[in-house]
Amino acid sequence: MASERKATLIIEGREPVEFPIMTPVHGNDCIDIRTLGAKTGLFTYDSGFLSTAACESTITFIDGDKGELLYRGYPIEQLAEKCEFLDVAYLLKHGELPNVEQKKTFVNIIKTHTMIHEQMARFYQGFRRDAHPMAVMVGVVGALSAFYHEAENFADQTQRNISFNRIVAKLPTIVAMAYKYSMGEPFMYPRNDLSYTANFMHMMFGTPCEKYEPNPVLVHALDTIFTLHADHEQNASTSTVRLAGSSGANPYACISAGIGCLWGPAHGGANEACLKMLEQIGDVSHVPEYIKRAKDKNDSFKLMGFGHRVYKNFDPRAKLMRKICADVLQELGLENDRLFKLALELERIALEDEYFVEKKLYPNVDFYSGIVQKAIGIPTSMFTCIFALARTVGWMAQWEEMISDPDLKIGRPRQLYVGASRRDVPPINQR
Ligand code: SDX
């Protein structure tokens, strides 16, 4: 929100230039520099966007110093304890938690949109069985654009609601089909008698040969994991979705772009990378050697699942994930799980090490999520697909906020050009 306060830019030999300071409800004041180029011919330089607010948003707030995460003002700890994932999906989209009637209607809409077009199932046949499931998701989710042309009419709120409901409903089916295809098992159709997350587990682990009843403790754990991953303000993949959407691209194409970005090991791929790292460390006795490597500037090794651009205190999701992990392992009689014990010891040692303390590197959401997903029976290669399934509700809410902005402009950053000066093309025999 604009305020009366101003920031004054003073450059030697130039007249001072003033810019308004924007005041948020929570978080950092922002200097509105949208007129900087026109007024001064200058750009700001901020590669990696360390100090840049790319948009105004009402959806999610993170206080990195306090380790606070709010979805539409509600603390993540309360949402994880008191709500289901579909409550949170509704909240992120509509701005308020659903009442009894709204929840019933929303759940029924989602249940009746869980199947995908039968011809979409053929897309899977085009992939090798050992294709990474995130590659499958990029392709299949993007292909939804080919089946729902009306999604282009997103100026119409009804169409935006339909697109949101469709993709929230179909992502579990698409993810489960990617898993079944990789296993060489038949696809499982959705069951409308099950809850959202129980149905997902049915489609993942059920077979036509016998009735599959998901373990309610595991269903609750996975449903909470979905909530923890649902949104996270302007992270790399959400920014990708917003930038793609700013061109007017179909929402499914934008979500596909977000999936591609989330795949990276520095982002959503960290849970898969973290589990592989724990397997690589292997034993608590090896932890000091890997801590040493993580601190070595000449060694590219990083402790996966540690550090965060915003959280310079504990990631609140990591605390909740550690509890979920303990509950799931206890339910499955795996309290002495080797990797969980190793993770706890790695966390303890790292948090006592002055390098991690000085650089404020704490476990993030990805540190424990791999262990709990592996215990539930989800293979490592599917971890980021689970993240994408959950983050899709946040991406769609952020996409809608962007597309509904009356001041929407196509995102088009500039650059600091440090390449060759202007020069003429020489004849080939003079090159
Ligand atoms: C997610 O943005 C989001 O909100 C993302 C996310 C979401 O919900 O969308 O929260 C999900 O992506 C969580 C992060 C998952 N990634 C990892 O766990 C990968 C390991 N972490 C690092 O790659 C890193 O911490 C990042 C990418 C998460 C953050 O990188 P930044 O903010 O650019 O910080 P940086 O890389 O500049 O690190 C600051 C310093 C560096 O040392 P110096 O150059 O200052 O000497 O800390 C060091 C880094 O070398 N450092 C680490 C480290 N992370 C940072 N050293 C060892 N191990 C690590 N994990």
Side-chain angles (χ1 to χ4, degrees), residues 50 62 228-229 231-238 262 265-268 270-271 294-295 297 301-312 315 317 355-356 359 361 364-366 387 391:
L50 290 152
I62 303 171
L228 298 184
H229 287 82
D231 195 49
H232 215 237
E233 63 139 88
Q234 306 312 315
N235 57 83
S237 54
T238 298
L262 186 74
H267 190 12
N271 50 20
K295 293 155 62 173
K297 283 286 154 242
F301 176 79
K302 282 189 188 270
L303 279 188
M304 302 315 281
F306 266 77
H308 199 278
R309 169 64 57 78
V310 178
Y311 289 121
K312 298 311 172 191
D315 180 336
R317 302 167 299 174
Y355 172 89
F356 288 87
K359 293 198 182 291
L361 299 174
N364 58 48
V365 68
D366 291 302
F387 196 149
R391 186 54 56 90

Side-chain angles (χ1 to χ4, degrees), residues 265-277:
H267 190 12
N271 50 20
E272 179 178 358
C274 181
L275 202 76
K276 285 177 181 165
M277 173 193 73

Side-chain angles (χ1 to χ4, degrees), residues 193-384:
D193 61 314
L194 295 174
S195 70
Y196 185 84
T197 304
N199 178 45
F200 173 64
M201 291 187 73
H202 149 72
M203 293 188 289
M204 283 282 290
F205 303 122
T207 69
C209 314
E210 55 192 35
K211 191 166 173 58
Y212 172 82
E213 284 307 333
N215 177 323
V217 172
L218 305 189
V219 170
H220 175 70
L222 192 53
D223 192 79
T224 308
I225 288 171
F226 289 163
T227 289
L228 298 184
H229 287 82
D231 195 49
H232 215 237
E233 63 139 88
Q234 306 312 315
N235 57 83
S237 54
T238 298
S239 301
T240 300
V241 171
R242 278 181 172 260
L243 196 56
S246 72
S247 74
N250 179 298
Y252 304 119
C254 298
I255 298 301
S256 176
I259 293 170
C261 177
L262 186 74
W263 192 357
H267 190 12
N271 50 20
E272 179 178 358
C274 181
L275 202 76
K276 285 177 181 165
M277 173 193 73
L278 291 170
E279 297 280 13
Q280 181 188 0
I281 294 172
D283 183 82
V284 172
S285 62
H286 300 150
V287 167
E289 170 206 341
Y290 281 89
I291 294 273
K292 184 165 177 283
R293 284 190 57 192
K295 293 155 62 173
D296 179 356
K297 283 286 154 242
N298 299 316
D299 189 329
S300 62
F301 176 79
K302 282 189 188 270
L303 279 188
M304 302 315 281
F306 266 77
H308 199 278
R309 169 64 57 78
V310 178
Y311 289 121
K312 298 311 172 191
N313 193 322
F314 233 89
D315 180 336
R317 302 167 299 174
K319 285 183 180 174
L320 293 163
M321 193 65 80
R322 183 172 56 197
K323 172 75 172 59
I324 293 167
C325 200
D327 293 347
V328 165
L329 293 173
Q330 185 179 355
E331 171 69 15
L332 297 172
L334 299 172
E335 297 89 333
N336 294 316
D337 177 82
R338 177 177 60 87
L339 291 183
F340 185 53
K341 293 277 186 195
L342 178 56
L344 288 172
E345 185 60 8
L346 178 59
E347 176 185 358
R348 186 189 65 76
I349 295 171
L351 296 185
E352 290 172 356
D353 185 288
E354 80 283 349
Y355 172 89
F356 288 87
V357 173
E358 182 241 326
K359 293 198 182 291
K360 300 179 186 286
L361 299 174
Y362 295 89
N364 58 48
V365 68
D366 291 302
F367 188 60
Y368 287 102
S369 71
I371 299 167
V372 63
Q373 289 184 65
K374 180 173 184 281
I376 290 174
I378 297 166
T380 309
S381 62
M382 291 295 296
F383 290 172
T384 313

Side-chain angles (χ1 to χ4, degrees), residues 424-431:
D424 297 326
V425 175
I428 189 163
N429 59 6
Q430 291 178 24
R431 291 177 198 164

